[in-house]
Amino acid sequence: MKKNKTKKHLKKLNWIIRNTSKLKFHTNLNVLLEPIKNDIQKFKWLISDLEINTSEMGKLPINHEKDWFLISAEEILPFAEGVAEIWKDGNLQVEESEIEIIAWDSVLTIVKFKEEKLSNKFKDYFEEAIELEKYKFKNRYI
């Protein structure tokens, strides 16, 4: 009989990935979303401050025919650089968000979840992920 390998993470919903062999670069959403790709099909997406190779757009688990939007210059979008609140557990910049991903290409990725099930799947796949609160006190600056 095979044992269930799912690990319990005691309501830890905020993770940081600094060193991993799974990601060649921290902005690779195709790899980053791998453990939850079947669970995120229902979500709408708000993507800000993103530089992307358009040939790679088809690889993201986003329905580009339905889940797209136009943003005017007057709209204020969330950003991470210089925002201290991103280091706080449970603080998602867009209140209605279910997941928030903050990726610095060559440094680290912060991933926050509202749903424990998604968080656990993510942590099971990225075992090297560190709790955000534990990381921020050891390393105040990136």
Side-chain angles (χ1 to χ4, degrees), residues 85-132:
E85 287 79 21
I86 65 167
W87 299 101
K88 294 180 182 174
D89 270 346
N91 181 58
L92 280 73
Q93 293 187 73
V94 176
E95 191 175 323
E96 298 84 11
S97 296
E98 295 293 323
I99 302 169
E100 180 174 277
I101 301 169
I102 303 167
W104 283 281
D105 189 40
S106 62
V107 183
L108 56 85
T109 302
I110 296 172
V111 184
K112 297 179 179 184
F113 297 92
K114 280 189 180 172
E115 189 179 311
E116 186 177 9
K117 177 184 169 187
L118 293 179
S119 177
N120 289 344
K121 284 183 177 185
F122 183 84
K123 178 60 175 161
D124 285 345
Y125 185 81
F126 288 103
E127 292 178 356
E128 61 274 40
I130 303 165
E131 292 173 51
L132 179 61

Side-chain angles (χ1 to χ4, degrees), residues 1-6:
M1 181 187 238
K2 213 174 195 182
K3 288 187 178 180
N4 185 350
K5 291 187 177 185
T6 303

Side-chain angles (χ1 to χ4, degrees), residues 51-59:
E51 295 176 26
I52 190 164
N53 177 341
T54 56
S55 68
E56 298 295 313
M57 289 292 281
K59 294 181 181 178

Side-chain angles (χ1 to χ4, degrees), residues 11-36:
K11 290 227 179 211
K12 293 178 177 49
L13 304 175
N14 303 280
W15 305 104
I16 191 161
I17 298 173
R18 176 122 189 173
N19 298 314
T20 179
S21 60
K22 293 178 180 99
L23 289 170
K24 287 184 181 178
F25 46 94
H26 285 272
T27 54
N28 187 340
L29 294 179
N30 195 38
V31 175
L32 192 67
L33 297 173
E34 177 63 29
I36 59 172

